[in-house]
Amino acid sequence: VIEDVASVAQMAAAIKEMHVRGAGLIGAAAGYGMYLATLEASGAGSDGEFEASLSRAAETLRATRPTAVNLAWAVERQMRAIMGETSREARIARAFQTAREIADEDAEYCRRIGDHGVKLIRRLHRKKGATVHILTHCNAGWLAFVDYGSATAPIYAAHDAGIPVHVWVDETRPRNQGAKLTAWELGQHGVPHTVIADNAGGHLMQHGMVDMVIVGTDRTTFTGDVANKIGTYLKALAAKDNNVPFYVALPSSTIDWTLASGDRIPIEERASGEVTKMTGRLPDGSVATVDIAAPGSTAANPAFDVTPARLVTQFITERGICEASQKGLRSLFPEMK
Ligand code: MRU
């Protein structure tokens, strides 16, 4: 669905209700949300009112989804850029330019993640001499970013380079981003893939059917702990137990340089109806929602979990590959304090 978003309120609703989702994309959307905020503030009587209106918009956007740090990062980057100008016209122009920069940077960084990550897949293919089977969780593809995706960028690069790959796609309950989005994306690109129930991954690993795991992340601490879609932690545990390398692909906008531990990452709790109901297509193509839980049962719906750095083999970033640790991240981003 192509949706026009013409106000801060509409952008906040689009992010909160997940018309756009995925760490990179909600960061880019928030960047444009702040541009809309400058347009809405332009009628303010005084500079103080202009700035107060901007701050309210920033707060509205920031409050939409708490876990993916890209959102707060984009809002703060916009605030710094806008406040660096003095006239209203210059502030509006700067906000538009910054929104474009955030979006373009996101696409370029994901492309570079592909360039770096494909080396890992190529190495496995040379060693194995056969199709490389990659398991992924949720959707960290181009539907979660501006282009390419994080976890999927190395997969597309490998496929385009003629390296035979096959992807195990976790369905990713409760929203089914894997079955709905990742499977669709991979299909559009012609990448062989198979959708599996979330609980199947461990079994496949025990039987030597997974060569590597690549997932994305919504927030990574500077010490290497990784918040990603609920269920990622269990995949990392199974990968560790079966000596399957577990990679996390991330643009630097997803690193939280203020957090030293994953247990301080805010975990979004979403509506229980996402667990007790299922939405899908009927044979006539229409979309319907049905109840799948016992009537009257309550449900909990934490949307993300945290995988400790010790379970992550390496990070794939736009600047290269590093250990999942403070030392590893600092080696690639020495300028970050
Ligand atoms: O709740 P979502 O769909 O916005 O979740 C984000 C995700 O798709 C995943 O956690 C993803 O693996 C990392 S975001 C690129």
Side-chain angles (χ1 to χ4, degrees):
V1 172
I2 308 285
E3 184 178 314
D4 287 331
V5 176
S7 68
V8 174
Q10 285 175 5
M11 187 62 90
I15 296 172
K16 196 171 180 59
E17 293 162 19
M18 294 174 68
H19 306 182
V20 287
R21 34 64 54 198
L25 188 53
I26 61 179
Y32 279 104
M34 287 305 293
Y35 163 61
L36 293 171
T38 59
L39 295 180
E40 288 178 12
S42 63
S46 67
D47 282 353
E49 283 168 25
F50 180 95
E51 284 163 24
S53 170
L54 264 193
S55 299
R56 279 196 301 277
E59 208 27 64
T60 302
L61 290 167
R62 238 189 246 119
T64 50
R65 298 198 68 193
T67 302
V69 75
N70 304 59
L71 200 153
W73 167 86
V75 168
E76 273 147 36
R77 179 165 163 178
Q78 275 284 29
M79 282 302 266
R80 275 196 308 277
I82 296 165
M83 292 311 191
E85 303 291 342
T86 44
S87 77
R88 287 203 191 165
E89 296 68 35
R91 285 178 161 179
I92 294 168
R94 188 69 197 276
F96 186 62
Q97 183 198 333
T98 306
R100 290 184 73 164
E101 279 167 14
I102 290 170
D104 290 349
E105 215 174 82
D106 183 85
E108 173 58 15
Y109 286 3
C110 286
R111 191 191 64 72
R112 290 189 210 166
I113 286 170
D115 285 351
H116 295 298
V118 72
K119 294 174 200 153
L120 299 168
I121 303 176
R122 184 174 286 115
R123 197 193 304 153
L124 271 176
H125 177 246
R126 286 204 178 120
K127 192 166 149 199
K128 194 183 172 195
T131 298
V132 179
H133 296 279
I134 303 164
L135 184 140
T136 193
H137 190 70
C138 199
N139 173 261
W142 44 261
L143 287 164
F145 288 86
V146 175
D147 209 349
Y148 302 98
S150 55
T152 52
I155 297 171
Y156 293 131
H159 178 77
D160 293 347
I163 302 168
V165 288
H166 163 262
V167 185
W168 296 111
V169 180
D170 283 352
E171 62 175 345
T172 318
R173 283 282 294 144
R175 296 282 299 220
N176 291 329
Q177 288 96 328
K180 288 180 176 170
L181 306 180
T182 303
W184 184 76
E185 261 192 29
L186 293 170
Q188 294 292 305
H189 205 92
V191 179
H193 61 279
T194 307
V195 177
I196 51 172
D198 286 331
N199 296 329
H203 167 79
L204 296 176
M205 291 183 209
Q206 283 177 322
H207 289 80
M209 295 162 79
V210 181
D211 297 306
M212 70 196 302
V213 178
I214 312 181
V215 297
T217 168
D218 299 83
R219 187 187 299 230
T220 297
T221 66
F222 67 83
T223 52
D225 295 340
V226 171
N228 193 49
K229 183 54 60 191
I230 193 79
T232 303
Y233 170 53
L234 291 178
K235 293 297 160 326
L237 282 174
K240 186 76 166 179
D241 196 45
N242 291 282
N243 291 319
V244 173
F246 185 94
Y247 295 99
V248 178
L250 65 155
S252 52
S253 52
T254 308
I255 305 170
D256 187 336
W257 295 100
T258 70
L259 280 194
S261 171
D263 57 19
R264 294 186 51 216
I265 297 175
I267 300 297
E268 179 180 9
E269 183 74 34
R270 293 189 62 85
S272 61
E274 292 185 350
V275 175
T276 59
K277 297 173 195 299
M278 182 84 94
T279 299
R281 278 186 312 277
L282 296 175
D284 68 1
S286 61
V287 173
T289 300
V290 296
D291 287 312
I292 57 166
S297 291
T298 54
N301 188 13
F304 300 92
D305 61 24
V306 175
T307 299
R310 66 186 156 76
L311 298 179
V312 178
T313 306
Q314 280 180 316
F315 287 145
I316 310 167
T317 80
E318 74 269 16
R319 292 203 189 162
I321 294 168
C322 72
E323 299 309 317
S325 65
Q326 182 169 356
K327 195 170 159 222
L329 285 171
R330 291 241 186 268
S331 71
L332 292 182
F333 302 95
E335 76 279 19
M336 294 310 296
K337 297 280 176 278

PDB file of all heavy atoms in Angstrom, residues 54-72:
ATOM      1  N   LEU A  54       8.250  22.263  17.660  1.00  0.00           N
ATOM      2  CA  LEU A  54       9.191  21.223  17.196  1.00  0.00           C
ATOM      3  C   LEU A  54       9.448  20.190  18.280  1.00  0.00           C
ATOM      4  O   LEU A  54       9.455  18.986  18.010  1.00  0.00           O
ATOM      5  CB  LEU A  54      10.539  21.876  16.873  1.00  0.00           C
ATOM      6  CG  LEU A  54      10.879  22.270  15.455  1.00  0.00           C
ATOM      7  CD1 LEU A  54      12.361  22.591  15.381  1.00  0.00           C
ATOM      8  CD2 LEU A  54      10.537  21.166  14.460  1.00  0.00           C
ATOM      9  N   SER A  55       9.659  20.670  19.503  1.00  0.00           N
ATOM     10  CA  SER A  55       9.946  19.751  20.618  1.00  0.00           C
ATOM     11  C   SER A  55       8.761  18.823  20.865  1.00  0.00           C
ATOM     12  O   SER A  55       8.940  17.634  21.143  1.00  0.00           O
ATOM     13  CB  SER A  55      10.245  20.521  21.911  1.00  0.00           C
ATOM     14  OG  SER A  55      11.360  21.324  21.715  1.00  0.00           O
ATOM     15  N   ARG A  56       7.545  19.362  20.760  1.00  0.00           N
ATOM     16  CA  ARG A  56       6.361  18.506  20.952  1.00  0.00           C
ATOM     17  C   ARG A  56       6.303  17.428  19.869  1.00  0.00           C
ATOM     18  O   ARG A  56       6.046  16.260  20.139  1.00  0.00           O
ATOM     19  CB  ARG A  56       5.079  19.345  20.900  1.00  0.00           C
ATOM     20  CG  ARG A  56       4.759  20.061  22.211  1.00  0.00           C
ATOM     21  CD  ARG A  56       3.310  20.550  22.218  1.00  0.00           C
ATOM     22  NE  ARG A  56       3.016  21.476  21.119  1.00  0.00           N
ATOM     23  CZ  ARG A  56       3.273  22.796  21.138  1.00  0.00           C
ATOM     24  NH1 ARG A  56       3.817  23.336  22.212  1.00  0.00           N
ATOM     25  NH2 ARG A  56       2.987  23.566  20.095  1.00  0.00           N
ATOM     26  N   ALA A  57       6.610  17.825  18.633  1.00  0.00           N
ATOM     27  CA  ALA A  57       6.599  16.853  17.525  1.00  0.00           C
ATOM     28  C   ALA A  57       7.668  15.780  17.760  1.00  0.00           C
ATOM     29  O   ALA A  57       7.418  14.582  17.549  1.00  0.00           O
ATOM     30  CB  ALA A  57       6.852  17.573  16.203  1.00  0.00           C
ATOM     31  N   ALA A  58       8.836  16.215  18.209  1.00  0.00           N
ATOM     32  CA  ALA A  58       9.925  15.256  18.465  1.00  0.00           C
ATOM     33  C   ALA A  58       9.484  14.246  19.511  1.00  0.00           C
ATOM     34  O   ALA A  58       9.710  13.036  19.366  1.00  0.00           O
ATOM     35  CB  ALA A  58      11.179  16.008  18.929  1.00  0.00           C
ATOM     36  N   GLU A  59       8.825  14.737  20.557  1.00  0.00           N
ATOM     37  CA  GLU A  59       8.360  13.850  21.630  1.00  0.00           C
ATOM     38  C   GLU A  59       7.301  12.880  21.115  1.00  0.00           C
ATOM     39  O   GLU A  59       7.324  11.682  21.415  1.00  0.00           O
ATOM     40  CB  GLU A  59       7.806  14.712  22.780  1.00  0.00           C
ATOM     41  CG  GLU A  59       7.918  14.079  24.137  1.00  0.00           C
ATOM     42  CD  GLU A  59       9.076  13.075  24.273  1.00  0.00           C
ATOM     43  OE1 GLU A  59      10.263  13.453  24.173  1.00  0.00           O
ATOM     44  OE2 GLU A  59       8.770  11.882  24.454  1.00  0.00           O
ATOM     45  N   THR A  60       6.375  13.394  20.294  1.00  0.00           N
ATOM     46  CA  THR A  60       5.317  12.536  19.726  1.00  0.00           C
ATOM     47  C   THR A  60       5.937  11.411  18.901  1.00  0.00           C
ATOM     48  O   THR A  60       5.558  10.242  19.022  1.00  0.00           O
ATOM     49  CB  THR A  60       4.393  13.379  18.805  1.00  0.00           C
ATOM     50  OG1 THR A  60       3.848  14.427  19.591  1.00  0.00           O
ATOM     51  CG2 THR A  60       3.285  12.550  18.188  1.00  0.00           C
ATOM     52  N   LEU A  61       6.903  11.748  18.061  1.00  0.00           N
ATOM     53  CA  LEU A  61       7.519  10.728  17.208  1.00  0.00           C
ATOM     54  C   LEU A  61       8.322   9.734  18.044  1.00  0.00           C
ATOM     55  O   LEU A  61       8.229   8.524  17.850  1.00  0.00           O
ATOM     56  CB  LEU A  61       8.425  11.392  16.162  1.00  0.00           C
ATOM     57  CG  LEU A  61       7.678  12.173  15.073  1.00  0.00           C
ATOM     58  CD1 LEU A  61       8.633  13.059  14.282  1.00  0.00           C
ATOM     59  CD2 LEU A  61       6.940  11.217  14.126  1.00  0.00           C
ATOM     60  N   ARG A  62       9.077  10.262  19.009  1.00  0.00           N
ATOM     61  CA  ARG A  62       9.921   9.401  19.854  1.00  0.00           C
ATOM     62  C   ARG A  62       9.090   8.391  20.642  1.00  0.00           C
ATOM     63  O   ARG A  62       9.529   7.275  20.894  1.00  0.00           O
ATOM     64  CB  ARG A  62      10.691  10.279  20.838  1.00  0.00           C
ATOM     65  CG  ARG A  62      12.183  10.126  20.718  1.00  0.00           C
ATOM     66  CD  ARG A  62      12.887  10.840  21.846  1.00  0.00           C
ATOM     67  NE  ARG A  62      13.668  11.949  21.343  1.00  0.00           N
ATOM     68  CZ  ARG A  62      13.502  13.225  21.666  1.00  0.00           C
ATOM     69  NH1 ARG A  62      12.590  13.584  22.545  1.00  0.00           N
ATOM     70  NH2 ARG A  62      14.266  14.154  21.160  1.00  0.00           N
ATOM     71  N   ALA A  63       7.878   8.811  21.027  1.00  0.00           N
ATOM     72  CA  ALA A  63       7.047   7.950  21.891  1.00  0.00           C
ATOM     73  C   ALA A  63       6.355   6.824  21.121  1.00  0.00           C
ATOM     74  O   ALA A  63       5.733   5.954  21.724  1.00  0.00           O
ATOM     75  CB  ALA A  63       5.997   8.806  22.586  1.00  0.00           C
ATOM     76  N   THR A  64       6.463   6.818  19.793  1.00  0.00           N
ATOM     77  CA  THR A  64       5.686   5.835  19.032  1.00  0.00           C
ATOM     78  C   THR A  64       6.153   4.401  19.277  1.00  0.00           C
ATOM     79  O   THR A  64       5.349   3.512  19.502  1.00  0.00           O
ATOM     80  CB  THR A  64       5.741   6.119  17.519  1.00  0.00           C
ATOM     81  OG1 THR A  64       7.117   6.282  17.146  1.00  0.00           O
ATOM     82  CG2 THR A  64       4.957   7.370  17.156  1.00  0.00           C
ATOM     83  N   ARG A  65       7.468   4.185  19.209  1.00  0.00           N
ATOM     84  CA  ARG A  65       8.000   2.829  19.424  1.00  0.00           C
ATOM     85  C   ARG A  65       9.319   2.960  20.192  1.00  0.00           C
ATOM     86  O   ARG A  65      10.219   3.665  19.742  1.00  0.00           O
ATOM     87  CB  ARG A  65       8.195   2.097  18.084  1.00  0.00           C
ATOM     88  CG  ARG A  65       6.878   1.907  17.326  1.00  0.00           C
ATOM     89  CD  ARG A  65       6.979   0.846  16.264  1.00  0.00           C
ATOM     90  NE  ARG A  65       7.141  -0.468  16.829  1.00  0.00           N
ATOM     91  CZ  ARG A  65       7.497  -1.544  16.113  1.00  0.00           C
ATOM     92  NH1 ARG A  65       7.747  -1.419  14.822  1.00  0.00           N
ATOM     93  NH2 ARG A  65       7.626  -2.720  16.683  1.00  0.00           N
ATOM     94  N   PRO A  66       9.443   2.245  21.298  1.00  0.00           N
ATOM     95  CA  PRO A  66      10.591   2.504  22.182  1.00  0.00           C
ATOM     96  C   PRO A  66      11.876   1.732  21.892  1.00  0.00           C
ATOM     97  O   PRO A  66      12.948   2.167  22.304  1.00  0.00           O
ATOM     98  CB  PRO A  66      10.051   2.085  23.553  1.00  0.00           C
ATOM     99  CG  PRO A  66       9.037   1.025  23.256  1.00  0.00           C
ATOM    100  CD  PRO A  66       8.442   1.362  21.923  1.00  0.00           C
ATOM    101  N   THR A  67      11.816   0.600  21.219  1.00  0.00           N
ATOM    102  CA  THR A  67      13.014  -0.265  21.196  1.00  0.00           C
ATOM    103  C   THR A  67      14.023   0.138  20.133  1.00  0.00           C
ATOM    104  O   THR A  67      15.223   0.283  20.420  1.00  0.00           O
ATOM    105  CB  THR A  67      12.607  -1.751  21.042  1.00  0.00           C
ATOM    106  OG1 THR A  67      11.737  -2.099  22.121  1.00  0.00           O
ATOM    107  CG2 THR A  67      13.838  -2.656  21.079  1.00  0.00           C
ATOM    108  N   ALA A  68      13.590   0.319  18.894  1.00  0.00           N
ATOM    109  CA  ALA A  68      14.552   0.640  17.822  1.00  0.00           C
ATOM    110  C   ALA A  68      15.141   2.031  18.067  1.00  0.00           C
ATOM    111  O   ALA A  68      14.429   3.030  18.100  1.00  0.00           O
ATOM    112  CB  ALA A  68      13.872   0.588  16.465  1.00  0.00           C
ATOM    113  N   VAL A  69      16.463   2.074  18.227  1.00  0.00           N
ATOM    114  CA  VAL A  69      17.105   3.338  18.584  1.00  0.00           C
ATOM    115  C   VAL A  69      17.197   4.284  17.385  1.00  0.00           C
ATOM    116  O   VAL A  69      17.355   5.493  17.553  1.00  0.00           O
ATOM    117  CB  VAL A  69      18.503   3.071  19.205  1.00  0.00           C
ATOM    118  CG1 VAL A  69      19.519   2.688  18.148  1.00  0.00           C
ATOM    119  CG2 VAL A  69      18.977   4.259  20.018  1.00  0.00           C
ATOM    120  N   ASN A  70      17.059   3.761  16.180  1.00  0.00           N
ATOM    121  CA  ASN A  70      17.142   4.606  14.981  1.00  0.00           C
ATOM    122  C   ASN A  70      16.143   5.753  15.026  1.00  0.00           C
ATOM    123  O   ASN A  70      16.387   6.831  14.498  1.00  0.00           O
ATOM    124  CB  ASN A  70      16.854   3.783  13.712  1.00  0.00           C
ATOM    125  CG  ASN A  70      17.771   2.615  13.588  1.00  0.00           C
ATOM    126  OD1 ASN A  70      17.796   1.769  14.479  1.00  0.00           O
ATOM    127  ND2 ASN A  70      18.533   2.564  12.511  1.00  0.00           N
ATOM    128  N   LEU A  71      15.001   5.499  15.651  1.00  0.00           N
ATOM    129  CA  LEU A  71      13.952   6.509  15.699  1.00  0.00           C
ATOM    130  C   LEU A  71      14.426   7.721  16.514  1.00  0.00           C
ATOM    131  O   LEU A  71      14.438   8.847  16.004  1.00  0.00           O
ATOM    132  CB  LEU A  71      12.705   5.873  16.317  1.00  0.00           C
ATOM    133  CG  LEU A  71      11.377   6.560  16.058  1.00  0.00           C
ATOM    134  CD1 LEU A  71      10.262   5.533  16.137  1.00  0.00           C
ATOM    135  CD2 LEU A  71      11.096   7.650  17.025  1.00  0.00           C
ATOM    136  N   ALA A  72      14.857   7.482  17.748  1.00  0.00           N
ATOM    137  CA  ALA A  72      15.325   8.585  18.591  1.00  0.00           C
ATOM    138  C   ALA A  72      16.575   9.223  17.979  1.00  0.00           C
ATOM    139  O   ALA A  72      16.743  10.451  18.004  1.00  0.00           O
ATOM    140  CB  ALA A  72      15.633   8.071  19.993  1.00  0.00           C
TER     141      ALA A  72
END
